[in-house]
PDB file of all heavy atoms in Angstrom:
ATOM      1  N   ILE I  25     121.329 159.483 158.200  1.00  0.00           N
ATOM      2  CA  ILE I  25     122.394 159.955 157.319  1.00  0.00           C
ATOM      3  C   ILE I  25     122.800 158.831 156.372  1.00  0.00           C
ATOM      4  O   ILE I  25     123.060 157.708 156.800  1.00  0.00           O
ATOM      5  CB  ILE I  25     123.620 160.413 158.126  1.00  0.00           C
ATOM      6  CG1 ILE I  25     123.244 161.534 159.096  1.00  0.00           C
ATOM      7  CG2 ILE I  25     124.726 160.878 157.184  1.00  0.00           C
ATOM      8  CD1 ILE I  25     122.777 162.801 158.422  1.00  0.00           C
ATOM      9  N   HIS I  26     122.865 159.132 155.097  1.00  0.00           N
ATOM     10  CA  HIS I  26     123.313 158.139 154.128  1.00  0.00           C
ATOM     11  C   HIS I  26     123.995 158.842 152.963  1.00  0.00           C
ATOM     12  O   HIS I  26     123.755 160.036 152.693  1.00  0.00           O
ATOM     13  CB  HIS I  26     122.142 157.288 153.624  1.00  0.00           C
ATOM     14  CG  HIS I  26     120.932 158.077 153.224  1.00  0.00           C
ATOM     15  ND1 HIS I  26     120.834 158.745 152.011  1.00  0.00           N
ATOM     16  CD2 HIS I  26     119.775 158.313 153.881  1.00  0.00           C
ATOM     17  CE1 HIS I  26     119.670 159.346 151.938  1.00  0.00           C
ATOM     18  NE2 HIS I  26     118.994 159.120 153.057  1.00  0.00           N
ATOM     19  N   VAL I  27     124.856 158.115 152.291  1.00  0.00           N
ATOM     20  CA  VAL I  27     125.545 158.619 151.105  1.00  0.00           C
ATOM     21  C   VAL I  27     124.949 157.909 149.898  1.00  0.00           C
ATOM     22  O   VAL I  27     124.988 156.676 149.804  1.00  0.00           O
ATOM     23  CB  VAL I  27     127.062 158.349 151.179  1.00  0.00           C
ATOM     24  CG1 VAL I  27     127.752 158.814 149.889  1.00  0.00           C
ATOM     25  CG2 VAL I  27     127.674 159.046 152.392  1.00  0.00           C
ATOM     26  N   ASP I  28     124.371 158.667 148.987  1.00  0.00           N
ATOM     27  CA  ASP I  28     123.756 158.111 147.784  1.00  0.00           C
ATOM     28  C   ASP I  28     124.694 158.290 146.598  1.00  0.00           C
ATOM     29  O   ASP I  28     125.104 159.413 146.287  1.00  0.00           O
ATOM     30  CB  ASP I  28     122.418 158.783 147.495  1.00  0.00           C
ATOM     31  CG  ASP I  28     121.324 158.335 148.454  1.00  0.00           C
ATOM     32  OD1 ASP I  28     121.535 157.325 149.159  1.00  0.00           O
ATOM     33  OD2 ASP I  28     120.269 158.988 148.503  1.00  0.00           O
ATOM     34  N   VAL I  29     125.035 157.186 145.952  1.00  0.00           N
ATOM     35  CA  VAL I  29     125.949 157.198 144.806  1.00  0.00           C
ATOM     36  C   VAL I  29     125.171 156.811 143.559  1.00  0.00           C
ATOM     37  O   VAL I  29     124.707 155.672 143.434  1.00  0.00           O
ATOM     38  CB  VAL I  29     127.120 156.229 145.032  1.00  0.00           C
ATOM     39  CG1 VAL I  29     128.029 156.189 143.801  1.00  0.00           C
ATOM     40  CG2 VAL I  29     127.928 156.638 146.273  1.00  0.00           C
ATOM     41  N   ALA I  30     125.007 157.760 142.648  1.00  0.00           N
ATOM     42  CA  ALA I  30     124.295 157.502 141.395  1.00  0.00           C
ATOM     43  C   ALA I  30     125.219 156.762 140.433  1.00  0.00           C
ATOM     44  O   ALA I  30     126.371 157.150 140.226  1.00  0.00           O
ATOM     45  CB  ALA I  30     123.819 158.811 140.777  1.00  0.00           C
ATOM     46  N   LEU I  31     124.716 155.682 139.846  1.00  0.00           N
ATOM     47  CA  LEU I  31     125.497 154.853 138.935  1.00  0.00           C
ATOM     48  C   LEU I  31     124.928 154.942 137.519  1.00  0.00           C
ATOM     49  O   LEU I  31     123.717 155.075 137.326  1.00  0.00           O
ATOM     50  CB  LEU I  31     125.495 153.400 139.400  1.00  0.00           C
ATOM     51  CG  LEU I  31     126.147 153.114 140.759  1.00  0.00           C
ATOM     52  CD1 LEU I  31     125.995 151.652 141.126  1.00  0.00           C
ATOM     53  CD2 LEU I  31     127.621 153.528 140.755  1.00  0.00           C
ATOM     54  N   TYR I  32     125.831 154.822 136.538  1.00  0.00           N
ATOM     55  CA  TYR I  32     125.462 154.883 135.124  1.00  0.00           C
ATOM     56  C   TYR I  32     126.176 153.764 134.372  1.00  0.00           C
ATOM     57  O   TYR I  32     127.274 153.342 134.754  1.00  0.00           O
ATOM     58  CB  TYR I  32     125.858 156.233 134.509  1.00  0.00           C
ATOM     59  CG  TYR I  32     125.239 157.415 135.193  1.00  0.00           C
ATOM     60  CD1 TYR I  32     125.825 157.973 136.329  1.00  0.00           C
ATOM     61  CD2 TYR I  32     124.061 157.987 134.723  1.00  0.00           C
ATOM     62  CE1 TYR I  32     125.252 159.054 136.984  1.00  0.00           C
ATOM     63  CE2 TYR I  32     123.480 159.079 135.366  1.00  0.00           C
ATOM     64  CZ  TYR I  32     124.083 159.600 136.490  1.00  0.00           C
ATOM     65  OH  TYR I  32     123.509 160.674 137.137  1.00  0.00           O
ATOM     66  N   TRP I  33     125.546 153.292 133.321  1.00  0.00           N
ATOM     67  CA  TRP I  33     126.175 152.337 132.417  1.00  0.00           C
ATOM     68  C   TRP I  33     126.597 153.085 131.158  1.00  0.00           C
ATOM     69  O   TRP I  33     125.795 153.780 130.540  1.00  0.00           O
ATOM     70  CB  TRP I  33     125.211 151.214 132.050  1.00  0.00           C
ATOM     71  CG  TRP I  33     125.643 150.378 130.886  1.00  0.00           C
ATOM     72  CD1 TRP I  33     125.085 150.339 129.642  1.00  0.00           C
ATOM     73  CD2 TRP I  33     126.740 149.446 130.854  1.00  0.00           C
ATOM     74  NE1 TRP I  33     125.764 149.448 128.832  1.00  0.00           N
ATOM     75  CE2 TRP I  33     126.781 148.881 129.547  1.00  0.00           C
ATOM     76  CE3 TRP I  33     127.694 149.047 131.791  1.00  0.00           C
ATOM     77  CZ2 TRP I  33     127.732 147.930 129.176  1.00  0.00           C
ATOM     78  CZ3 TRP I  33     128.638 148.105 131.417  1.00  0.00           C
ATOM     79  CH2 TRP I  33     128.656 147.558 130.127  1.00  0.00           C
ATOM     80  N   HIS I  34     127.878 152.956 130.796  1.00  0.00           N
ATOM     81  CA  HIS I  34     128.411 153.549 129.572  1.00  0.00           C
ATOM     82  C   HIS I  34     128.896 152.434 128.660  1.00  0.00           C
ATOM     83  O   HIS I  34     129.503 151.467 129.127  1.00  0.00           O
ATOM     84  CB  HIS I  34     129.600 154.471 129.880  1.00  0.00           C
ATOM     85  CG  HIS I  34     129.251 155.721 130.616  1.00  0.00           C
ATOM     86  ND1 HIS I  34     129.502 156.974 130.115  1.00  0.00           N
ATOM     87  CD2 HIS I  34     128.669 155.922 131.828  1.00  0.00           C
ATOM     88  CE1 HIS I  34     129.105 157.896 130.989  1.00  0.00           C
ATOM     89  NE2 HIS I  34     128.596 157.268 132.040  1.00  0.00           N
ATOM     90  N   GLN I  35     128.684 152.588 127.364  1.00  0.00           N
ATOM     91  CA  GLN I  35     129.202 151.618 126.400  1.00  0.00           C
ATOM     92  C   GLN I  35     129.482 152.306 125.080  1.00  0.00           C
ATOM     93  O   GLN I  35     128.898 153.336 124.746  1.00  0.00           O
ATOM     94  CB  GLN I  35     128.221 150.469 126.186  1.00  0.00           C
ATOM     95  CG  GLN I  35     126.942 150.875 125.458  1.00  0.00           C
ATOM     96  CD  GLN I  35     126.020 149.702 125.174  1.00  0.00           C
ATOM     97  OE1 GLN I  35     125.465 149.117 126.116  1.00  0.00           O
ATOM     98  NE2 GLN I  35     125.847 149.363 123.906  1.00  0.00           N
ATOM     99  N   TRP I  36     130.404 151.704 124.314  1.00  0.00           N
ATOM    100  CA  TRP I  36     130.691 152.209 122.980  1.00  0.00           C
ATOM    101  C   TRP I  36     129.541 151.880 122.054  1.00  0.00           C
ATOM    102  O   TRP I  36     128.913 150.833 122.160  1.00  0.00           O
ATOM    103  CB  TRP I  36     131.987 151.585 122.443  1.00  0.00           C
ATOM    104  CG  TRP I  36     133.208 152.045 123.160  1.00  0.00           C
ATOM    105  CD1 TRP I  36     133.944 151.333 124.069  1.00  0.00           C
ATOM    106  CD2 TRP I  36     133.837 153.325 123.055  1.00  0.00           C
ATOM    107  NE1 TRP I  36     134.987 152.091 124.529  1.00  0.00           N
ATOM    108  CE2 TRP I  36     134.957 153.314 123.929  1.00  0.00           C
ATOM    109  CE3 TRP I  36     133.559 154.470 122.312  1.00  0.00           C
ATOM    110  CZ2 TRP I  36     135.783 154.414 124.064  1.00  0.00           C
ATOM    111  CZ3 TRP I  36     134.393 155.570 122.443  1.00  0.00           C
ATOM    112  CH2 TRP I  36     135.490 155.538 123.303  1.00  0.00           C
ATOM    113  N   LYS I  37     129.266 152.781 121.120  1.00  0.00           N
ATOM    114  CA  LYS I  37     128.303 152.494 120.063  1.00  0.00           C
ATOM    115  C   LYS I  37     128.978 151.586 119.042  1.00  0.00           C
ATOM    116  O   LYS I  37     130.088 151.871 118.587  1.00  0.00           O
ATOM    117  CB  LYS I  37     127.863 153.789 119.370  1.00  0.00           C
ATOM    118  CG  LYS I  37     127.152 154.788 120.277  1.00  0.00           C
ATOM    119  CD  LYS I  37     126.833 156.058 119.504  1.00  0.00           C
ATOM    120  CE  LYS I  37     126.227 157.125 120.386  1.00  0.00           C
ATOM    121  NZ  LYS I  37     126.006 158.394 119.665  1.00  0.00           N
ATOM    122  N   LEU I  38     128.320 150.513 118.685  1.00  0.00           N
ATOM    123  CA  LEU I  38     128.874 149.565 117.729  1.00  0.00           C
ATOM    124  C   LEU I  38     127.981 149.472 116.504  1.00  0.00           C
ATOM    125  O   LEU I  38     126.756 149.493 116.614  1.00  0.00           O
ATOM    126  CB  LEU I  38     129.004 148.166 118.355  1.00  0.00           C
ATOM    127  CG  LEU I  38     129.903 148.054 119.591  1.00  0.00           C
ATOM    128  CD1 LEU I  38     129.925 146.615 120.070  1.00  0.00           C
ATOM    129  CD2 LEU I  38     131.317 148.523 119.286  1.00  0.00           C
ATOM    130  N   GLY I  39     128.588 149.340 115.341  1.00  0.00           N
ATOM    131  CA  GLY I  39     127.811 149.142 114.121  1.00  0.00           C
ATOM    132  C   GLY I  39     127.223 150.430 113.589  1.00  0.00           C
ATOM    133  O   GLY I  39     127.332 151.506 114.175  1.00  0.00           O
ATOM    134  N   ALA I  40     126.559 150.298 112.472  1.00  0.00           N
ATOM    135  CA  ALA I  40     125.949 151.459 111.822  1.00  0.00           C
ATOM    136  C   ALA I  40     124.655 151.823 112.511  1.00  0.00           C
ATOM    137  O   ALA I  40     123.942 150.972 113.022  1.00  0.00           O
ATOM    138  CB  ALA I  40     125.683 151.152 110.346  1.00  0.00           C
ATOM    139  N   ASP I  41     124.333 153.109 112.531  1.00  0.00           N
ATOM    140  CA  ASP I  41     123.075 153.564 113.112  1.00  0.00           C
ATOM    141  C   ASP I  41     121.909 152.950 112.352  1.00  0.00           C
ATOM    142  O   ASP I  41     121.912 152.849 111.132  1.00  0.00           O
ATOM    143  CB  ASP I  41     122.964 155.093 113.041  1.00  0.00           C
ATOM    144  CG  ASP I  41     123.986 155.774 113.934  1.00  0.00           C
ATOM    145  OD1 ASP I  41     124.474 155.108 114.859  1.00  0.00           O
ATOM    146  OD2 ASP I  41     124.286 156.962 113.679  1.00  0.00           O
ATOM    147  N   GLY I  42     120.891 152.539 113.111  1.00  0.00           N
ATOM    148  CA  GLY I  42     119.691 152.018 112.484  1.00  0.00           C
ATOM    149  C   GLY I  42     119.699 150.534 112.253  1.00  0.00           C
ATOM    150  O   GLY I  42     118.747 149.998 111.683  1.00  0.00           O
ATOM    151  N   ASP I  43     120.764 149.804 112.659  1.00  0.00           N
ATOM    152  CA  ASP I  43     120.794 148.361 112.465  1.00  0.00           C
ATOM    153  C   ASP I  43     119.610 147.684 113.126  1.00  0.00           C
ATOM    154  O   ASP I  43     118.991 146.791 112.569  1.00  0.00           O
ATOM    155  CB  ASP I  43     122.094 147.769 113.023  1.00  0.00           C
ATOM    156  CG  ASP I  43     123.265 147.975 112.059  1.00  0.00           C
ATOM    157  OD1 ASP I  43     123.002 148.414 110.925  1.00  0.00           O
ATOM    158  OD2 ASP I  43     124.404 147.680 112.444  1.00  0.00           O
ATOM    159  N   ALA I  44     119.304 148.108 114.368  1.00  0.00           N
ATOM    160  CA  ALA I  44     118.211 147.469 115.094  1.00  0.00           C
ATOM    161  C   ALA I  44     116.890 147.710 114.376  1.00  0.00           C
ATOM    162  O   ALA I  44     116.030 146.836 114.311  1.00  0.00           O
ATOM    163  CB  ALA I  44     118.139 148.016 116.523  1.00  0.00           C
ATOM    164  N   ALA I  45     116.723 148.909 113.801  1.00  0.00           N
ATOM    165  CA  ALA I  45     115.474 149.217 113.106  1.00  0.00           C
ATOM    166  C   ALA I  45     115.305 148.361 111.861  1.00  0.00           C
ATOM    167  O   ALA I  45     114.194 148.122 111.404  1.00  0.00           O
ATOM    168  CB  ALA I  45     115.451 150.698 112.722  1.00  0.00           C
ATOM    169  N   GLN I  46     116.414 147.877 111.261  1.00  0.00           N
ATOM    170  CA  GLN I  46     116.341 147.055 110.069  1.00  0.00           C
ATOM    171  C   GLN I  46     116.156 145.577 110.408  1.00  0.00           C
ATOM    172  O   GLN I  46     116.206 144.729 109.522  1.00  0.00           O
ATOM    173  CB  GLN I  46     117.605 147.246 109.233  1.00  0.00           C
ATOM    174  CG  GLN I  46     117.773 148.668 108.713  1.00  0.00           C
ATOM    175  CD  GLN I  46     119.111 148.879 108.042  1.00  0.00           C
ATOM    176  OE1 GLN I  46     119.872 147.934 107.832  1.00  0.00           O
ATOM    177  NE2 GLN I  46     119.410 150.120 107.691  1.00  0.00           N
ATOM    178  N   GLY I  47     115.960 145.271 111.654  1.00  0.00           N
ATOM    179  CA  GLY I  47     115.667 143.902 112.034  1.00  0.00           C
ATOM    180  C   GLY I  47     116.822 143.116 112.610  1.00  0.00           C
ATOM    181  O   GLY I  47     116.655 141.950 112.955  1.00  0.00           O
ATOM    182  N   SER I  48     118.014 143.707 112.688  1.00  0.00           N
ATOM    183  CA  SER I  48     119.141 142.998 113.279  1.00  0.00           C
ATOM    184  C   SER I  48     118.918 142.834 114.767  1.00  0.00           C
ATOM    185  O   SER I  48     118.407 143.747 115.424  1.00  0.00           O
ATOM    186  CB  SER I  48     120.443 143.768 113.027  1.00  0.00           C
ATOM    187  OG  SER I  48     120.710 143.865 111.644  1.00  0.00           O
ATOM    188  N   PRO I  49     119.314 141.695 115.339  1.00  0.00           N
ATOM    189  CA  PRO I  49     119.153 141.513 116.784  1.00  0.00           C
ATOM    190  C   PRO I  49     120.085 142.445 117.545  1.00  0.00           C
ATOM    191  O   PRO I  49     121.094 142.910 117.002  1.00  0.00           O
ATOM    192  CB  PRO I  49     119.538 140.045 116.993  1.00  0.00           C
ATOM    193  CG  PRO I  49     120.435 139.712 115.849  1.00  0.00           C
ATOM    194  CD  PRO I  49     119.919 140.518 114.689  1.00  0.00           C
ATOM    195  N   PRO I  50     119.775 142.747 118.799  1.00  0.00           N
ATOM    196  CA  PRO I  50     120.657 143.612 119.594  1.00  0.00           C
ATOM    197  C   PRO I  50     122.048 142.997 119.711  1.00  0.00           C
ATOM    198  O   PRO I  50     122.193 141.775 119.791  1.00  0.00           O
ATOM    199  CB  PRO I  50     119.966 143.681 120.963  1.00  0.00           C
ATOM    200  CG  PRO I  50     118.574 143.221 120.729  1.00  0.00           C
ATOM    201  CD  PRO I  50     118.609 142.285 119.580  1.00  0.00           C
ATOM    202  N   SER I  51     123.055 143.843 119.701  1.00  0.00           N
ATOM    203  CA  SER I  51     124.421 143.354 119.881  1.00  0.00           C
ATOM    204  C   SER I  51     124.582 142.782 121.281  1.00  0.00           C
ATOM    205  O   SER I  51     123.787 143.069 122.191  1.00  0.00           O
ATOM    206  CB  SER I  51     125.423 144.487 119.663  1.00  0.00           C
ATOM    207  OG  SER I  51     125.337 145.426 120.734  1.00  0.00           O
ATOM    208  N   LEU I  52     125.625 141.971 121.457  1.00  0.00           N
ATOM    209  CA  LEU I  52     125.893 141.423 122.787  1.00  0.00           C
ATOM    210  C   LEU I  52     126.149 142.540 123.793  1.00  0.00           C
ATOM    211  O   LEU I  52     125.731 142.454 124.945  1.00  0.00           O
ATOM    212  CB  LEU I  52     127.088 140.476 122.732  1.00  0.00           C
ATOM    213  CG  LEU I  52     126.839 139.104 122.101  1.00  0.00           C
ATOM    214  CD1 LEU I  52     128.149 138.349 121.952  1.00  0.00           C
ATOM    215  CD2 LEU I  52     125.854 138.303 122.946  1.00  0.00           C
ATOM    216  N   LEU I  53     126.818 143.597 123.342  1.00  0.00           N
ATOM    217  CA  LEU I  53     127.085 144.712 124.242  1.00  0.00           C
ATOM    218  C   LEU I  53     125.785 145.397 124.645  1.00  0.00           C
ATOM    219  O   LEU I  53     125.595 145.768 125.810  1.00  0.00           O
ATOM    220  CB  LEU I  53     128.034 145.707 123.577  1.00  0.00           C
ATOM    221  CG  LEU I  53     128.589 146.821 124.466  1.00  0.00           C
ATOM    222  CD1 LEU I  53     129.310 146.254 125.685  1.00  0.00           C
ATOM    223  CD2 LEU I  53     129.526 147.720 123.669  1.00  0.00           C
ATOM    224  N   ASP I  54     124.873 145.551 123.688  1.00  0.00           N
ATOM    225  CA  ASP I  54     123.560 146.113 124.025  1.00  0.00           C
ATOM    226  C   ASP I  54     122.822 145.212 125.013  1.00  0.00           C
ATOM    227  O   ASP I  54     122.143 145.691 125.927  1.00  0.00           O
ATOM    228  CB  ASP I  54     122.709 146.283 122.765  1.00  0.00           C
ATOM    229  CG  ASP I  54     123.177 147.442 121.899  1.00  0.00           C
ATOM    230  OD1 ASP I  54     123.865 148.333 122.420  1.00  0.00           O
ATOM    231  OD2 ASP I  54     122.868 147.438 120.685  1.00  0.00           O
ATOM    232  N   GLN I  55     122.937 143.903 124.822  1.00  0.00           N
ATOM    233  CA  GLN I  55     122.267 142.971 125.727  1.00  0.00           C
ATOM    234  C   GLN I  55     122.852 143.037 127.138  1.00  0.00           C
ATOM    235  O   GLN I  55     122.123 142.896 128.125  1.00  0.00           O
ATOM    236  CB  GLN I  55     122.364 141.548 125.182  1.00  0.00           C
ATOM    237  CG  GLN I  55     121.568 141.332 123.909  1.00  0.00           C
ATOM    238  CD  GLN I  55     121.689 139.911 123.391  1.00  0.00           C
ATOM    239  OE1 GLN I  55     121.483 138.948 124.122  1.00  0.00           O
ATOM    240  NE2 GLN I  55     122.040 139.775 122.121  1.00  0.00           N
ATOM    241  N   ILE I  56     124.157 143.246 127.229  1.00  0.00           N
ATOM    242  CA  ILE I  56     124.770 143.423 128.546  1.00  0.00           C
ATOM    243  C   ILE I  56     124.192 144.667 129.222  1.00  0.00           C
ATOM    244  O   ILE I  56     123.812 144.637 130.396  1.00  0.00           O
ATOM    245  CB  ILE I  56     126.303 143.553 128.408  1.00  0.00           C
ATOM    246  CG1 ILE I  56     126.910 142.227 127.941  1.00  0.00           C
ATOM    247  CG2 ILE I  56     126.925 143.963 129.747  1.00  0.00           C
ATOM    248  CD1 ILE I  56     128.372 142.329 127.557  1.00  0.00           C
ATOM    249  N   GLY I  57     124.106 145.768 128.475  1.00  0.00           N
ATOM    250  CA  GLY I  57     123.536 146.991 129.030  1.00  0.00           C
ATOM    251  C   GLY I  57     122.099 146.808 129.461  1.00  0.00           C
ATOM    252  O   GLY I  57     121.685 147.286 130.528  1.00  0.00           O
TER     253      GLY I  57
END
């Protein structure tokens, strides 16, 4: 018998969409995730 707890990481979206595609490095928050 065991209890399984599914965990998720949630974070706010920061910056404009597509920044990473334009060559910007990942944000610190993205790196934490």
